[in-house]
Amino acid sequence: MYRYDEFDHGFVTSRVAQFRDQVERRLSGELTEDQFRPLRLMNGVYLQLHAYMLRIAVPYGTLSSRQLRMLGHIGRKYDRGYGHFTTRQNLQFNWPALKDIPAILDDLASVEMHALQTSGNCIRNVTTDHFAGAAADEIADPRPYAEILRQWSSIHPEFSYLPRKFKIAVTGAPKDRAAIQVHDIGLELKRGPDGEIGFAVYVGGGQGRTPMIAHKVRDYLPEEDLLAYVEAIMRVYNLHGRRDNKYKARIKILVHETGAEEITRQIEAEFVEVKKTELLRLPDEEIQRITAYFAAPDLAPKPARSGAFEAAKADSAAFAAFAENNVTPHKAPGYGVVTVSLKPIGGIPGDATDVQMEVVADLAEAYSQSEIRVSHEQNLVLPHVALDDVPALYAKLAEHGLATGNAGLVTDIIACPGLDYCALANARSINIAQDLSNRFGAPERQKDIGELKIKISGCINACGHHHVGHIGLLGVDRRGEEVYQITLGGSGDETASVGALVGPGFTGDQVVDAVETVVDTYLKLRQGPDETFLSAVRRLGQQPFKEALYGAA
């Protein structure tokens, strides 16, 4: 796991001191809210409907036990006893008092954390596969490259005031668990002809008001050219991206309006110029230095099959469901990657109490090399758990409401905070997620339905990733009433697609029944239990679901 160097320590400490002075001047009235706004946003502080919100950076979703314990401490001391994990692998506290935020930032700095570049028109948190460094299907660990990009992009003088916010994702496996094709830049680790590491490069993906799937601009980029090529992309965007209309300012619009072929030509031309200086050539020794921070843990050898694990599955249907859905193969025999669901039946997606955070931190220390991941699906992950230890881990999770075996199922719902918190939202998301979770919560029903990703956003900004939900729900305001549009067939994996709108929206009282109608239609028309919902929608198209929802007419 990455450790701060002297620059990191000095920089974060000085920024906290600077922001403390700015907060004091705001509280004294020396600064107006309009003057304070750009200053607070540079430090991850938003003004929501009811209070300030602090968004804390979790680079590439990796946390230590010490860091997660600190987040629990902050939630208890300065907030209302919980935090909300987001689709950018960050954590939000929704109720801190402005006067306390410098103290929170001090506490974060003590465990090598911060809130920088979690807002504003800059390069945001670089995200990656939440199974990175552990997944059995991984080509290489993408986190060293995410860390290199983080260091390069932090307070980058040329890219701190971009036309719009900018998001980068990296995946190290053919199975895309980082949704790289709906990011401004997506990077896929690949092996070259001689086994060397390189990247496929995607540009111009994104969700929000105009959802688009990224275009591949490079089939293979050599490892040493990573920073030079990303800098070339950023320069083309910074020069040509629109600043006159924030709704058309993202790079996806630039790619769409200019054309992928022409954008690729411009990027390649700028790449040639950037490479001439050699300043951004990534030396092998630097790659090795950063990679060493992410060395695989020294795991005790285990037999591939665990008798204790198999016996627990045979003894308990609930544990068997947890083992099937929440335990993923590890690259080391006898180990698993365990997803800790933050989606209890009827719960609020992504929320964790201070006690739960501390429990997970303790369990990571006991069973997972003191390492935790935050997934963009708003769950936590323990990446290095011996299968022998999973039954004991499960029992402890169950004591604290964290043992729901629903990862990837219909109740593993992504939802933004919506109108309960967000000043931009048009509709609530949390209550709809809770109602859907309760409706589909029976274990037998979830198993019958199989893999199905429901994603909910309370406004067009799509923080709930509804565009790439197998079933997506978008809350809109229709003459003062909250109405939910349904899209079908979206996906954020390696087969990325934007869901298609089925038809007119449904009120809050109607939408859960409507989703149930969609699911029941799938169950009736699927070609056996092995055909997933997404496969069925792609085979059948929209018409059967439209007829079920609105009638044959």
Side-chain angles (χ1 to χ4, degrees):
M1 190 175 300
Y2 179 71
R3 295 288 182 267
Y4 275 15
D5 60 19
E6 288 184 7
F7 172 82
D8 292 315
H9 277 293
F11 173 61
V12 171
T13 300
S14 65
R15 280 294 293 267
V16 173
Q18 180 189 58
F19 190 57
R20 175 175 283 104
D21 175 67
Q22 292 165 348
V23 168
E24 289 173 354
R25 287 190 287 140
R26 172 70 189 106
L27 293 173
S28 71
E30 184 179 345
L31 290 176
T32 67
E33 179 57 35
D34 285 344
Q35 292 170 323
F36 183 58
R37 182 176 183 274
L39 304 176
R40 62 173 168 78
L41 288 175
M42 292 173 69
N43 291 278
V45 181
Y46 286 77
L47 183 58
Q48 294 199 299
L49 276 178
H50 312 293
Y52 285 104
M53 177 268 281
L54 176 64
R55 181 181 294 149
I56 294 167
V58 184
Y60 34 88
T62 295
L63 285 167
S64 68
S65 291
R66 181 168 171 247
Q67 289 170 330
L68 186 56
R69 281 196 199 95
M70 178 57 75
L71 294 178
H73 161 77
I74 290 169
R76 179 168 53 250
K77 183 173 180 179
Y78 298 108
D79 205 270
R80 295 187 176 180
Y82 70 95
H84 176 73
F85 289 96
T86 78
T87 52
R88 286 217 64 70
Q89 299 181 304
N90 291 322
L91 178 76
Q92 293 179 184
F93 286 117
N94 290 310
W95 301 100
L98 181 59
K99 66 179 179 59
D100 291 331
I101 290 179
I104 295 173
L105 297 178
D106 265 336
D107 282 350
L108 290 171
S110 74
V111 294
E112 301 187 343
M113 296 185 75
H114 58 77
L116 304 174
Q117 294 190 198
T118 59
S119 59
N121 293 336
C122 58
I123 297 172
R124 300 285 186 90
N125 190 35
V126 178
T127 58
T128 192
D129 182 355
H130 43 274
F131 296 163
D137 63 342
E138 186 173 78
I139 293 170
D141 190 339
R143 290 176 301 159
Y145 304 98
E147 171 58 25
I148 288 167
L149 288 165
R150 184 199 70 82
Q151 293 189 21
W152 163 82
S153 64
S154 293
I155 60 166
H156 194 303
E158 192 174 343
F159 307 135
S160 292
Y161 297 95
L162 295 166
R164 198 74 172 88
K165 59 186 175 181
F166 203 92
K167 301 175 181 179
I168 301 174
V170 192
T171 186
K175 177 65 177 176
D176 181 9
R177 290 175 287 263
I180 65 169
Q181 293 185 61
V182 285
H183 280 74
D184 298 295
I185 295 177
L187 299 167
E188 178 190 355
L189 270 69
K190 301 180 75 172
R191 292 283 182 188
D194 297 319
E196 69 276 21
I197 289 289
F199 305 89
V201 184
Y202 295 82
V203 172
Q207 298 187 64
R209 188 173 298 270
T210 313
M212 294 183 181
I213 301 301
H215 296 268
K216 185 188 285 189
V217 296
R218 264 270 181 152
D219 283 321
Y220 186 81
L221 177 75
E223 181 184 51
E224 69 173 16
D225 291 329
L226 173 63
L227 293 184
Y229 202 80
V230 173
E231 178 123 342
I233 296 170
M234 299 304 303
R235 286 186 174 182
V236 170
Y237 171 56
N238 208 18
L239 180 63
H240 299 295
R242 292 183 62 170
R243 297 176 188 269
D244 62 324
N245 185 334
K246 72 175 184 178
Y247 302 118
K248 297 184 178 182
R250 298 292 293 271
I251 194 173
K252 63 186 177 182
I253 303 299
L254 177 64
V255 173
H256 177 72
E257 293 185 344
T258 307
E261 186 175 335
E262 173 60 17
I263 282 292
T264 302
R265 186 197 68 77
Q266 292 181 20
I267 292 169
E268 292 289 338
E270 186 63 36
F271 177 50
V272 171
E273 296 302 314
V274 173
K275 282 189 71 175
K276 285 179 181 178
T277 67
E278 288 286 310
L279 292 175
L280 286 176
R281 185 183 66 81
L282 194 53
D284 185 65
E285 57 269 23
E286 180 64 8
I287 297 171
Q288 296 308 313
R289 184 181 75 84
I290 298 297
T291 300
Y293 287 112
F294 301 94
D298 186 16
L299 301 175
K302 298 279 185 181
R305 188 179 184 278
S306 164
F309 184 70
E310 297 301 327
K313 286 199 295 183
D315 186 55
S316 165
F319 181 82
F322 183 86
E324 179 180 0
N325 300 312
N326 292 43
V327 182
T328 303
H330 195 286
K331 61 177 62 178
Y335 287 81
V337 183
V338 176
T339 296
V340 179
S341 174
L342 299 182
K343 321 285 180 58
I345 302 306
I348 299 174
D351 277 11
T353 68
D354 55 328
V355 173
Q356 288 174 327
M357 285 188 253
E358 290 170 341
V359 166
V360 174
D362 290 345
L363 292 173
E365 196 169 80
Y367 298 117
S368 185
Q369 308 291 314
S370 293
E371 194 172 325
I372 306 103
R373 309 288 173 75
V374 182
S375 77
H376 81 271
E377 295 174 323
Q378 298 178 291
N379 292 315
L380 298 178
V381 174
L382 300 177
H384 309 293
V385 181
L387 294 179
D388 290 343
D389 293 331
V390 175
L393 171 69
Y394 173 83
K396 195 68 177 179
L397 290 171
E399 290 177 18
H400 297 276
L402 293 167
T404 309
N406 63 346
L409 300 183
V410 64
T411 59
D412 185 13
I413 298 167
I414 288 178
C416 72
L419 196 55
D420 286 310
Y421 296 97
C422 183
L424 300 176
N426 299 310
R428 292 170 295 165
S429 300
I430 291 172
N431 63 315
I432 303 300
Q434 291 174 301
D435 290 347
L436 285 167
S437 178
N438 284 320
R439 180 68 63 90
F440 292 105
E444 300 81 9
R445 193 171 193 201
Q446 293 191 72
K447 184 174 182 178
D448 185 34
I449 294 168
E451 182 184 23
L452 204 173
K453 297 181 183 294
I454 297 178
K455 306 185 181 186
I456 309 171
S457 299
C459 81
I460 197 64
N461 288 303
C463 294
H465 292 190
H466 68 277
H467 291 299
V468 293
H470 299 167
I471 298 176
L473 301 180
L474 169 63
V476 299
D477 183 302
R478 187 176 66 188
R479 296 184 295 277
E481 184 176 31
E482 296 173 39
V483 171
Y484 298 85
Q485 298 175 348
I486 297 178
T487 56
L488 300 179
S491 176
D493 64 8
E494 65 280 1
T495 68
S497 58
V498 173
L501 182 65
V502 178
F506 297 86
T507 66
D509 292 336
Q510 299 168 333
V511 68
V512 174
D513 289 338
V515 171
E516 186 170 36
T517 296
V518 169
V519 173
D520 287 345
T521 302
Y522 151 67
L523 293 173
K524 183 175 68 174
L525 298 177
R526 67 182 176 181
Q527 294 180 333
D530 291 335
E531 184 176 37
T532 65
F533 179 88
L534 181 60
S535 297
V537 170
R538 288 175 171 174
R539 174 177 62 84
L540 294 164
Q542 301 281 309
Q543 194 58 35
F545 301 97
K546 287 185 178 181
E547 291 182 3
L549 287 168
Y550 305 108

